[in-house]
Amino acid sequence: MEEDDVYTKDGTVDYLGNPANRRKTGTWRACPFILGNECCERLAYYGMSTNLVLYFKNRLHQHSATASKNVSNWSGTCYITPLIGAFVADSYLGRYWTIFCFSIVYVIGMTLLTLSASVPGIKPTCHGHGDENCHANTGQSVVCFLALYLIALGTGGIKPCVSSYGADQFDDSVPVEKEHKSSFFNWFYFSINIGALIASSLLVWIQNNVGWGWGFGIPAVAMAIAVVSFFSGTRLYRNQKPGGSPLTRISQVIVASIRKYHVEVPADKSLLHEIADTESSIKGSRKLDHTNELRFFDKAAVPVESDDLKYSANPWRLCTVTQVEELKSILRLLPVWATGIIFATVYGQMSTLFVLQGQTMDKHVGKSTFEIPSAALSIFDTLSVIFWVPVYDRIIVPIARKLTGHKNGLTQLQRMGIGLFISIFSMVAAAVLELIRLRIVRRNNYYKLDEIPMSIFWQVPQYFIIGCAEVFTFIGQLEFFYEQAPDAMRSLCSALQLLTVALGQYLSSLLVTIVTKISTRNGSLGWIPDNLNYGHIDYFFWLLAVLSVLNLVAFLLVAKLYTYKRTVGTIR
């Protein structure tokens, strides 16, 4: 290895702030600590959230629709707060220190939630055995929701940074490392689902059979282990320098373009303003090549007589081509980003209506006395992901590589589109199952039964299909938003990807509100009553299936028009 090749060329530094040595830092040697952190953090998150709708319904004594909306709203918030964490990481602290600070908030929230479910006085008061006749007063509800929203804030600093931080360990200038980076996203998502597997099986059973104090306490311990795992790898990490406020740079381009609205953009792109150095003027970012789309914003890079290029140009009047292309990259991402919202709405049904649907079915395993909690059936989504990730990485990619000639087998957009197509069938499966379940109820007059004699394991196909769709769509999104983001905006673009999940949760909550209001207009119980035997959640699933088809059509149009980002050279 020559002297010039000893250090990375993507601007990363080691924990002391020196240029990162390629032999001693990054690549797969640093990833076990990051993947271990993600596995434990996701175990903590899903261990607390998977069964949350039943905690709200049984312990806080909330109506089914209210509990479903509260879970959707909280889950949505968990995917909005990453915008805060991403801004802090990209602008000021960098990803390493952002994860550190927000992890502390996360642990505090998990501890408070455990106390709210186990300490007399602040835990809900129950009369009788188990979850029978439980009520929470205003103070107890406030403590519970305070803890949950502290967790939402804490996860906001971790979610947008950890996947990007793992990808930062691979240098794009080295072909082997660039190829491994694509594989990293698959195994990153695999580690997420190992944590989710434990959460949706063991922890859900503990919550239902041992107690909510233990059920929330174990995830709190898992979060502490996640923090220890992450910081154990400090000496091995490659760190990207924060590039300053991306919102400021975006605003400068917009303002400069408007100021020069009357200026004509020259046909020769070499006349546009860019610094002569090989490095970008933005710390931690490579230069971006000029593109012909959205040419109005090119006006911000057109020098005029009033711009003094001899000294530092006023960035509110004159921007570099790279700065303009940063804004263009974000704008090109937005249509693709928007098509992820419906998919996130479909995905969100696993923690709400799928759980409530499962509650009405026979939860016994075979002829034994053992009952599986309805929320624990999400284990089949997790098992699906764990099955499909290695299949995709080791079988589908090599085959697709031979057929398409693309180094990753499928482009990121192709991968996402396949996932959107598969997700339609999860809603079809859920709707058909509910149709069959309701026919059994009507035929046998089972309306008053809490559980009808129909095995909960008939739900397995809808969970398994969603898991398969995740491997294509969610992992495709992770890689797509990282690769297509400007270097100094990668946390922000990862947060944008997570925001689709938030908006999907909020859209689910909105749809539940709308259909409840419309379907109960004539005094009927509506689609989603407290007793689902009188309802029609199959209509809701069909609605989501139709929206998914329309969304797929929109995605195909957007993907056909998309232009991939082009970088120029290296940072050093």
Side-chain angles (χ1 to χ4, degrees), residues 205-489:
W205 184 86
I206 288 173
Q207 288 164 357
N208 284 15
N209 296 275
V210 179
W212 289 96
W214 280 100
F216 289 150
I218 293 173
V221 173
M223 185 59 213
I225 295 173
V227 173
V228 172
S229 173
F230 179 76
F231 294 113
S232 296
T234 298
R235 291 175 177 269
L236 298 175
Y237 295 146
R238 298 175 183 175
N239 303 288
Q240 284 280 1
K241 299 174 184 176
S245 171
L247 297 182
T248 300
R249 295 198 301 276
I250 288 172
S251 299
Q252 288 169 343
V253 174
I254 294 172
V255 170
S257 301
I258 293 173
R259 279 179 167 178
K260 296 179 179 179
Y261 70 93
H262 60 283
V263 174
E264 192 169 324
V265 179
D268 185 358
K269 69 178 183 179
S270 66
L271 298 177
L272 298 176
H273 174 54
E274 182 60 276
I275 62 173
D277 298 338
T278 56
E279 299 180 9
S280 164
S281 60
I282 303 164
K283 186 191 298 183
S285 181
R286 291 166 292 183
K287 285 184 178 180
L288 293 173
D289 198 7
H290 176 264
T291 58
N292 291 319
E293 294 90 358
L294 303 168
R295 287 181 61 82
F296 172 80
F297 296 109
D298 289 339
K299 296 176 185 291
V302 177
V304 294
E305 291 182 6
S306 59
D307 296 323
D308 188 355
L309 299 180
K310 185 176 180 181
Y311 303 100
S312 297
N314 180 354
W316 294 95
R317 297 193 63 87
L318 181 65
C319 304
T320 63
V321 169
T322 294
Q323 194 173 340
V324 171
E325 290 301 322
E326 275 192 334
L327 173 59
K328 288 185 181 181
S329 294
I330 298 297
L331 294 177
R332 282 196 296 267
L333 285 174
L334 291 181
V336 179
W337 167 83
T339 59
I341 296 173
I342 296 295
F343 179 81
T345 303
V346 169
Y347 174 78
Q349 301 314 305
M350 285 195 300
S351 61
T352 53
L353 291 185
F354 280 16
V355 176
L356 296 178
Q357 183 186 43
Q359 278 292 95
T360 67
M361 303 172 77
D362 181 8
K363 293 182 279 293
H364 288 90
V365 179
K367 296 183 179 180
S368 69
T369 57
F370 178 79
E371 291 190 12
I372 184 171
S374 59
L377 234 67
S378 62
I379 190 174
F380 290 99
D381 164 76
T382 305
L383 289 171
S384 177
V385 172
I386 292 172
F387 170 78
W388 282 108
V389 164
V391 168
Y392 181 85
D393 196 66
R394 301 302 180 189
I395 299 176
I396 296 177
V397 168
I399 293 174
R401 192 179 287 144
K402 291 179 181 178
L403 295 175
T404 65
H406 192 274
K407 65 181 185 303
N408 293 332
L410 298 172
T411 67
Q412 295 142 10
L413 289 172
Q414 287 171 339
R415 183 174 185 173
M416 291 158 60
I418 292 171
L420 294 180
F421 176 73
I422 293 172
S423 70
I424 296 169
F425 296 97
S426 67
M427 289 297 97
V428 172
V432 170
L433 174 63
E434 184 63 12
L435 268 174
I436 296 170
R437 195 191 70 81
L438 288 177
R439 283 178 184 171
I440 293 173
V441 169
R442 291 174 190 139
R443 189 180 305 127
N444 299 282
N445 196 26
Y446 287 151
Y447 290 102
K448 300 266 175 100
L449 289 184
D450 292 332
E451 296 180 5
I452 70 166
M454 181 181 185
S455 176
I456 192 174
F457 290 101
W458 284 106
Q459 282 191 307
V460 169
Q462 62 207 54
Y463 281 100
F464 196 83
I465 294 170
I466 285 186
C468 180
E470 280 181 67
V471 169
F472 285 90
T473 297
F474 274 157
I475 302 179
Q477 286 177 343
L478 275 174
E479 185 177 359
F480 178 79
F481 281 90
Y482 179 88
E483 289 292 338
Q484 296 305 305
D487 292 339
M489 292 187 182

Side-chain angles (χ1 to χ4, degrees), residues 37 39-49 103-118 147 151 158 198-199 203 206-207 212-229:
N37 164 269
C39 180
C40 291
E41 188 272 330
R42 291 290 86 186
L43 188 155
Y45 178 82
Y46 288 117
M48 173 267 304
S49 64
S103 291
I104 302 302
V105 177
Y106 200 133
V107 172
I108 292 171
M110 291 296 302
T111 303
L112 183 58
L113 182 65
T114 303
L115 294 176
S116 74
S118 55
I151 292 168
I158 298 174
I198 299 171
L203 290 181
I206 288 173
Q207 288 164 357
W212 289 96
W214 280 100
F216 289 150
I218 293 173
V221 173
M223 185 59 213
I225 295 173
V227 173
V228 172
S229 173

Side-chain angles (χ1 to χ4, degrees), residues 542-562:
W542 287 121
L543 172 64
L544 290 181
V546 171
L547 291 176
S548 295
V549 171
L550 297 175
N551 184 60
L552 177 61
V553 173
F555 174 83
L556 294 175
L557 293 173
V558 167
K560 188 174 183 180
L561 297 173
Y562 185 79

Side-chain angles (χ1 to χ4, degrees), residues 134-153:
C134 291
H135 298 273
N137 59 37
T138 302
Q140 292 164 345
S141 295
V142 166
V143 172
C144 177
F145 279 96
L146 174 62
L148 287 171
Y149 281 91
L150 279 174
I151 292 168
L153 178 60

Side-chain angles (χ1 to χ4, degrees), residues 25-70:
T25 63
T27 66
W28 289 112
R29 69 172 66 88
C31 289
F33 301 98
I34 297 171
L35 296 177
N37 164 269
E38 185 64 10
C39 180
C40 291
E41 188 272 330
R42 291 290 86 186
L43 188 155
Y45 178 82
Y46 288 117
M48 173 267 304
S49 64
T50 301
N51 216 16
L52 197 57
V53 67
L54 295 185
Y55 185 76
F56 285 167
K57 184 176 179 180
N58 296 333
R59 287 303 178 99
L60 300 189
H61 200 63
Q62 294 181 350
H63 185 276
S64 292
T66 303
S68 177
K69 285 190 290 184
N70 281 337

